[in-house]
Amino acid sequence: MPFSQPAVIRSRRAVLPDGERPADVLIRDGRIEQVAAHGSLVVGDRELVDLGDTALLPGLVDTHVHVNEPGRTEWEGFATATRAAAAGGVTTIIDMPLNSIPPTTTVEGLAVKRKTAEGQAWVDLGFWGGAVPGNVADLEPLHRAGVFGFKSFLAPSGVDEFPHVEAADLEAALAEQARIGALAIIHAEDPAVLAAAPQQPGVHYRDFLASRPAGAETAAVAQLLDTARRTGARVHVLHVSSAAVLPLLRTARAEGVRVTAETCPHYLTLAAEQVPDGDTAFKCCPPIRDEANRDALWEALADGEFIAVVSDHSPSTPDLKLLPEYGGSGDFAAAWGGIASLQLGLPAIWTEARRRGHALSDVVRWMSAGPAELVGLTGTKGAIAAGCDADLIAFDPDGEFAVHAGELHHRNPVTPYAGRTLTGAVRTTWLRGRAVDAGAEPFGRQLTRPADSRPATAS
């Protein structure tokens, strides 16, 4: 249950929608009832949590998480993923429709996913649907069942049960999603460009990077935008790794295309030049690119060109990553592509953001308010404001810690951040006014898409 009495959380560094300032936050029945001047609320018999100079942030909203359960629970699962999320200050996740078996491409598949997640979630949890070849008739029933939108791949996904869409499939899926008012989220890499790229297996990251050129993203985004223009669909480009797509997005928005985009902590904090030979913990698709590209992504983020920074947490077992320390070959071409980082996104981004002169309010906009807007949860999630769920984080912006993969809460001890020292420590996470405690029982709720959710916008 939430606090039995109305509670006040007090901080001299509360990050509110209008900026950072001292504040008292009054919580009643799991929601924020009032945000008042620091020290102004009479506590009386209310429970008081005084954070002092520790910052108070809204819980993060991560709209790009691969939980993988059921079917590949040995990769990850609802209990482990959501516990890692809570430890990292993430209070809402939206689960991707693939890597689980069955995938979330039918109402029946969604029902299996929901049943499996019952009683396991440490944070609030929603689900994406999938748009794959041949399931156009399933999209409206899934939409009515409350999925937050539909994911498609323009290149092979890596798992057979979730095939990618060809041009005709994409046209049909976007036309249907435009008709029903759904959001299309797209993994944008062009298979023809990928097929023409040099394919050199081995332990050298530069060879893997050459096999996933920036041109694959550019071509795929161009195709997506052309289809969105024809169909009128609202589209969102997932995990942008290449700054070369940004001019295409700017032009499309100026023409009235409803398009948003996201990027991820690993594209903003890691660089190709830093990847050691054989360290396949860094492998993801699209790939981590060079430092100059990373700087261009930061410029775009500062200019408001990305609506969200989200994890794309996509772990697997160590044997599938082919890591040498687990007896693997370190072959980037053959290893599973996915970054495990759900617990580390906030400190990873804050470490780099602070170095570049950004404020905590910027990080909240990118990782909390923006993702909430993307999926129609503004007014409920993503802000310290009256009426919102009391999803909050006590965050020490000066706290430093070394990352030890085996101490993280996600299921498998693999992450490219292992050995790094990050700045910014989550001290407490509250979900609907209740501190998430590993010694208690999970109390996360399953969410459905708000019926009146409006399209997100991006500047």
Side-chain angles (χ1 to χ4, degrees):
M1 298 293 293
F3 293 114
S4 57
Q5 298 290 332
V8 174
I9 300 180
R10 178 172 293 163
S11 171
R12 284 190 283 269
R13 296 193 64 181
V15 181
L16 309 177
D18 59 353
E20 181 182 320
R21 57 184 168 84
D24 286 0
V25 178
L26 175 63
I27 299 167
R28 189 192 302 269
D29 297 329
R31 289 187 178 272
I32 297 171
E33 183 172 282
Q34 182 184 2
V35 180
H38 184 272
S40 67
L41 294 180
V42 177
V43 176
D45 61 355
R46 297 165 173 158
E47 180 177 347
L48 171 66
V49 178
D50 192 338
L51 299 179
D53 291 325
T54 298
L56 182 65
L57 276 58
L60 305 191
V61 178
D62 193 334
T63 55
H64 197 147
V65 179
H66 294 266
V67 175
N68 304 337
E69 186 178 9
R72 292 188 175 94
T73 310
E74 69 276 14
W75 295 15
E76 190 63 281
F78 288 105
T80 51
T82 58
R83 185 69 191 92
V90 178
T91 52
T92 301
I93 69 168
I94 312 296
D95 174 54
M96 282 291 166
L98 73 157
N99 297 348
S100 58
I101 302 172
T104 316
T105 53
T106 64
V107 169
E108 293 76 18
L110 175 63
V112 171
K113 185 79 71 91
R114 284 177 169 163
K115 180 68 174 176
T116 304
E118 286 179 2
Q120 294 202 71
W122 292 94
V123 301
D124 285 354
L125 166 70
F127 301 97
W128 294 107
V132 296
N135 85 325
V136 169
D138 294 295
L139 302 185
E140 185 172 13
L142 278 165
H143 185 68
R144 289 178 175 172
V147 299
F148 283 81
F150 297 94
K151 181 175 187 176
S152 295
F153 278 75
L154 302 189
S157 71
V159 292
D160 292 340
E161 66 274 4
F162 202 96
H164 70 285
V165 294
E166 305 284 356
D169 304 313
L170 179 65
E171 187 94 23
L174 292 192
E176 176 66 358
Q177 289 173 75
R179 185 186 72 81
I180 63 178
L183 170 63
I185 62 172
I186 307 295
H187 179 123
E189 289 182 285
D190 185 278
V193 176
L194 295 177
Q199 304 296 319
Q200 178 64 47
V203 300
H204 301 306
Y205 185 75
R206 64 177 179 270
D207 294 330
F208 169 66
L209 185 59
S211 76
R212 313 289 297 206
E217 283 188 77
T218 306
V221 168
Q223 177 194 6
L224 172 64
L225 295 173
D226 285 346
T227 310
R229 288 184 184 96
R230 289 193 298 273
T231 61
R234 176 186 165 212
V235 297
H236 176 73
V237 183
L238 297 167
H239 47 48
V240 171
S241 82
S242 170
V245 307
L246 296 170
L248 297 175
L249 297 175
R250 292 183 203 118
T251 298
R253 290 186 188 120
E255 295 172 350
V257 177
R258 295 186 298 161
V259 57
T260 51
E262 71 187 35
T263 192
C264 304
H266 42 279
Y267 301 130
L268 295 167
T269 65
L270 306 175
E273 293 90 339
Q274 304 167 349
V275 179
D277 284 353
D279 195 345
T280 53
F282 287 81
K283 179 183 176 178
C284 58
C285 299
I288 296 163
R289 303 193 187 277
D290 62 26
E291 292 175 355
N293 179 81
R294 182 181 62 185
D295 290 343
L297 292 179
W298 272 103
E299 290 175 10
L301 183 63
D303 289 342
E305 295 193 53
F306 293 111
I307 194 172
V309 176
V310 290
S311 69
D312 190 11
H313 179 70
S314 185
S316 69
T317 53
D319 61 303
L320 292 177
K321 292 298 281 186
L322 303 181
L323 286 162
E325 58 263 43
Y326 290 94
S329 65
D331 183 350
F332 280 98
W336 174 259
I339 298 289
S341 64
L342 182 55
Q343 188 172 334
L344 300 172
L346 175 56
I349 287 293
W350 174 237
T351 300
E352 186 70 13
R354 185 165 76 165
R355 187 181 73 81
R356 292 172 180 265
H358 293 287
L360 280 174
S361 56
D362 296 321
V363 175
V364 165
R365 184 173 68 254
W366 303 330
M367 304 187 79
S368 192
E373 181 186 358
L374 174 69
V375 294
L377 292 176
T378 298
T380 303
K381 305 288 188 182
I384 301 177
C388 287
D389 288 348
D391 298 347
L392 302 164
I393 314 166
F395 183 69
D396 179 358
D398 299 316
E400 289 189 349
F401 66 98
V403 177
H404 301 288
E407 296 176 0
L408 300 176
H409 290 283
H410 67 256
R411 187 174 297 277
N412 293 290
V414 176
T415 179
Y417 294 99
R420 288 175 174 255
T421 297
L422 300 179
T423 302
V426 175
R427 301 303 186 194
T428 306
T429 297
W430 291 274
L431 178 66
R432 284 175 276 105
R434 180 177 173 184
V436 178
D437 180 356
E441 294 295 319
F443 57 96
R445 295 176 179 171
Q446 294 190 26
L447 307 175
T448 56
R449 174 188 48 82
D452 62 347
S453 60
R454 294 175 176 82
T457 59
S459 60

